[in-house]
Amino acid sequence: MKKFPAVWLVVVVCAIGYAQTGSSQESAKQPLRLVLTISIPNVKGRLDHMDVDIKGKRLFVAGLENGTFEVVDLEAGKWVGSMPGFKKPQGALVVSEFNKLFLASGDDGMLRVFRTDTLELLDSIHLEPGPNRVVYEPKSKLVYVGYGGKDAGKDYGEVGIIDARNNKLVGDIRVVAHPSELVLDRAGTTLFVFISIANQLQVIDTNKRRIVSTWPVTSQRPGDAAIDESTSRLFIGTRAPANMIAMDSKSGKEVTHLPTPESMDGVYFDAARKRIYVSGGRDLPAGFVYVYQQLDADHYEIIGKIPTREGAGTSFWCPELNRYYVAAPATDKEDAAILVYEP
């Protein structure tokens, strides 16, 4: 074997050390750091909406094409089981004060209620086809769920109102088409309903249970959204073109547009850091999370473009656990997984 002078060995070692340090420094500069990858075996197809059981430290994620909700133990960092029997599983909602888990199933029009701790089925609420997004208003103890539209063979959509105490449907509000996203304000008096197919946002007064405003969204197919009440701003992800729009939540005026990942499928606001996280990449060879820093109510800058995985579109931000979860579907080479990031 040819021997190299000692000086060359020193150069090589230093170069490797510099490269590793540089890589570490680049990673440290990113606003999100991957801390764990949790494999979800035997799940094929798209992964959709998620919610977290804070007390039990478990994540529930919809295996849309698998007909299951998958259960992940976040403390142990591992997949622990599947909840089968759903037709197009979509929205998931944990209501901790009643120890209830609401799971929406789009194709059979069901919203099923389980005990969060034991996963025992408590009730089944039959709506119409298309249940998707589910949100909870703790003051009134009401759950809101979007459904209807073309999924139900109708030219309008609906927001169902469910009493979380007894699991009863107590009313509904008609909207222009199937809701793609529901966002509640902190007071629980205003519900923002995003209608992707109509490129609109309808504003509901929850006390009067009626629409009080309808605002256009200039980019097409608004899907996911979040709110910052301290600046009265809504953050809206659109798909054509791929934009993150900041909108005045009181007037409906759009104040800025920024580019966002293609096939956007998750928008969240990190109130502590004044950041917006937008994930995208569904059905694409690469996924990304774009991170925006809020400078003031009307000004934002992109501070990170974090690569995720092929087809990884859906995400969920949990401020209580200080973790950002990205759902990555299975590929020919890898199992489905939850990618866990720390800001």
Side-chain angles (χ1 to χ4, degrees):
M1 180 181 291
K2 183 183 292 185
K3 293 184 178 180
F4 291 94
V7 66
W8 283 107
L9 291 177
V10 172
V11 170
V12 170
V13 170
C14 289
I16 292 172
Y18 178 81
Q20 290 176 338
T21 302
S23 176
S24 176
Q25 288 173 344
E26 285 301 311
S27 177
K29 290 178 183 177
Q30 289 283 21
L32 290 172
R33 179 173 66 96
L34 181 66
V35 294
L36 186 63
T37 298
I38 305 173
S39 178
I40 304 179
N42 305 316
V43 175
K44 304 299 181 185
R46 176 178 152 197
L47 299 177
D48 210 36
H49 305 305
M50 296 177 269
D51 201 6
V52 169
D53 167 22
I54 304 298
K55 183 178 178 181
K57 290 186 171 58
R58 290 179 300 170
L59 177 75
F60 299 96
V61 54
L64 188 142
E65 296 168 41
N66 210 54
T68 59
F69 277 90
E70 301 300 317
V71 187
V72 175
D73 184 327
L74 296 173
E75 193 163 50
K78 65 179 183 179
W79 169 85
V80 292
S82 293
M83 301 173 67
F86 297 89
K87 296 182 178 180
K88 196 179 179 183
Q90 298 238 279
L93 172 71
V94 175
V95 179
S96 299
E97 64 180 300
F98 296 122
N99 189 28
K100 290 180 180 180
L101 170 65
F102 293 81
L103 299 178
S105 188
D107 281 355
D108 57 7
M110 301 297 293
L111 183 65
R112 294 180 175 86
V113 188
F114 298 82
R115 276 184 59 120
T116 307
D117 53 358
T118 65
L119 303 184
E120 171 195 354
L121 180 65
L122 299 175
D123 222 329
S124 297
I125 305 165
H126 190 267
L127 303 169
E128 290 185 345
N132 186 0
R133 288 292 192 178
V134 193
V135 297
Y136 178 60
E137 203 295 289
K139 295 183 181 69
S140 63
K141 317 300 181 189
L142 295 177
V143 170
Y144 295 92
V145 54
Y147 58 93
K150 66 177 183 179
D151 289 358
K154 295 184 175 180
D155 59 0
Y156 60 89
E158 293 180 89
V159 176
I161 307 168
I162 293 159
D163 190 323
R165 292 163 290 199
N166 58 24
N167 311 323
K168 301 298 182 185
L169 181 68
V170 296
D172 55 67
I173 304 164
R174 185 180 291 200
V175 292
V176 68
H178 183 275
S180 57
E181 173 71 293
L182 305 177
V183 173
L184 266 169
D185 69 351
R186 196 163 40 243
T189 57
T190 304
L191 178 66
F192 299 95
V193 183
F194 295 82
I195 313 291
S196 181
I197 195 171
N199 304 321
Q200 289 181 358
L201 162 56
Q202 297 200 290
V203 185
I204 290 175
D205 181 323
T206 59
N207 292 324
K208 297 177 180 178
R209 295 187 179 180
R210 66 180 181 86
I211 296 169
V212 293
S213 299
T214 298
W215 299 331
V217 180
T218 55
S219 296
Q220 295 181 13
R221 298 181 63 204
D224 297 59
I227 189 170
D228 171 23
E229 293 193 59
S230 69
T231 59
S232 300
R233 291 294 178 264
L234 289 163
F235 308 113
I236 307 166
T238 65
R239 297 189 176 100
N243 275 334
M244 191 283 286
I245 298 174
M247 174 185 282
D248 188 314
S249 63
K250 297 185 182 300
S251 68
K253 178 185 176 183
E254 296 178 6
V255 298
T256 191
H257 289 218
L258 286 89
T260 212
E262 297 291 334
S263 293
M264 176 282 312
D265 210 15
V267 179
Y268 292 91
F269 180 63
D270 179 349
R273 299 170 181 85
K274 297 292 184 180
R275 292 175 180 173
I276 303 101
Y277 305 126
V278 182
S279 59
R282 188 206 306 172
D283 301 325
L284 296 177
F288 284 90
V289 177
Y290 280 28
V291 183
Y292 308 83
Q293 186 67 54
Q294 183 185 68
L295 306 178
D296 58 43
D298 294 345
H299 297 93
Y300 304 80
E301 65 178 4
I302 299 174
I303 60 170
K305 297 180 181 179
I306 294 93
T308 55
R309 250 178 52 175
E310 176 182 342
T314 314
S315 60
F316 184 82
W317 163 241
C318 182
E320 295 87 352
L321 300 179
N322 194 39
R323 290 294 183 269
Y324 182 67
Y325 304 100
V326 176
T331 67
D332 293 339
K333 298 178 181 178
E334 297 177 292
D335 282 342
I338 299 298
L339 310 180
V340 184
Y341 292 87
E342 179 182 33

